[in-house]
Amino acid sequence: MSLDWNALGQVTAVSIGVTVAVVVVFALGVLGLARHEGAREEGDGASSLGTAQAGLCFLACAAVVAYGIWLIVPQFH
């Protein structure tokens, strides 16, 4: 049995990269929620920007998770 170390390294690099990207996008979603709450407390009408940011970020995270599940479960193919 032989291992293709190059392929293993590529899979590891892509996995770490996607993990970091999803964490950063999720953190940006939390930041959007914080902006929404801060604007609501101050009575500022610009809270919709934070809500839109949070919604888009959380939707992107959900899409990545759904794609990962689709790749893992063979009945979806």
Side-chain angles (χ1 to χ4, degrees):
M1 180 175 155
S2 66
L3 290 176
D4 185 1
W5 291 102
N6 188 27
L8 183 62
Q10 288 176 352
V11 168
T12 302
V14 169
S15 298
I16 290 172
V18 170
T19 301
V20 169
V22 169
V23 168
V24 168
V25 170
F26 189 83
L28 289 174
V30 172
L31 176 65
L33 283 179
R35 285 182 179 167
H36 170 74
E37 289 296 321
R40 193 170 69 174
E41 287 177 2
E42 293 177 5
D44 190 13
S47 66
S48 62
L49 182 62
T51 305
Q53 175 185 347
L56 287 174
C57 289
F58 293 146
L59 185 64
C61 287
V64 170
V65 169
Y67 181 65
I69 291 172
W70 180 80
L71 286 175
I72 292 171
V73 178
Q75 285 86 3
F76 293 153
H77 295 178

